[in-house]
Amino acid sequence: FVTDAIVDAAGDVFATGMSIEKADFGAGLIDSPNWAPFIVKYAANGKLRWVRLFSGWLDNTDGDQSPRLALGNDGTLYLTGSYHGPLDLGTGPLPYDSSSFDFFVASFNANGTTRWSKGFAAPRYQGASALAVDSHGAVWVTGNFQGAMQLGSHTVFTGPNDPGQVFLAKFSKDGEALHAVSWGDDQPQQAFSLTALTDDSVVFGGGSSGTIA
């Protein structure tokens, strides 16, 4: 099933989601692992251009953490989402912690070839729910997490019994973690959407049961 879709300037459609057991993207039925992620591209007339079906198990417990897409001005495609257990998006297995869900960010060229993929694993929950690309090609990701989350040289924390805070992270076009910040208190927080504006600032929205400051 599809969880996100975007359209490029030429009218081509990119879609992502999760597949269960078998799938037909327009070129016949193919076998699929349960809850495996995919990216598919269709021409403006609906003709299949290509499909990438990956090996792994995504988070199927919460639709807010399902895979999401973003497209850079140069046609580079980006994907984020949450996973549980082994996941390979084309550059080798990503790190994972079997005790909880982790999140990933990945980049693909216009033909669906993986440029890079990054996985961020920890003993407590980490979920990505949205991403956006600014005019300089920087990749922004938001979601929620518990405990300590390490993104490159940047670490954000929640309290020991915190049910979850929101985070905002910035990556370079080549996948380097550039910045991370979090907000919340001891009540549940969740980010749902993220948009990059023309001045390269970003706006994100979500929900809170407490105070975000």
Side-chain angles (χ1 to χ4, degrees), residues 35-147:
W35 305 109
F38 67 83
I39 303 176
V40 61
K41 181 179 182 180
Y42 296 97
N45 62 4
K47 182 179 180 180
L48 176 67
R49 292 199 183 277
W50 51 259
V51 60
R52 296 290 309 278
L53 181 62
F54 303 102
S55 174
W57 184 289
L58 296 195
D59 182 355
N60 65 318
T61 62
D62 185 349
D64 296 325
Q65 311 298 333
S66 299
R68 297 290 188 262
L69 287 170
L71 191 65
N73 291 337
D74 61 355
T76 303
L77 190 66
Y78 299 91
L79 179 71
T80 195
S82 303
Y83 65 106
H84 186 54
L87 176 66
D88 187 343
L89 296 173
T91 59
L94 299 180
Y96 69 94
D97 190 303
S98 59
S99 63
S100 188
F101 287 95
D102 307 303
F103 89 91
F104 67 86
V105 185
S107 175
F108 306 85
N109 67 22
N111 295 320
T113 301
T114 308
R115 297 179 59 244
W116 52 262
S117 60
K118 307 284 185 178
F120 303 95
R124 298 184 69 189
Y125 184 87
Q126 301 182 147
S129 53
L131 79 167
V133 185
D134 67 26
S135 64
H136 295 288
V139 183
W140 298 79
V141 179
T142 191
N144 73 319
F145 74 106
Q146 299 170 329

Side-chain angles (χ1 to χ4, degrees), residues 120-122 126 145-158 165 167-169 177-182:
F120 303 95
Q126 301 182 147
F145 74 106
Q146 299 170 329
M149 184 168 66
Q150 183 78 37
L151 302 176
S153 62
H154 308 278
T155 305
V156 289
F157 301 91
T158 68
Q165 293 187 5
F167 73 88
L168 180 66
L178 301 176
H179 183 65
V181 64
S182 65

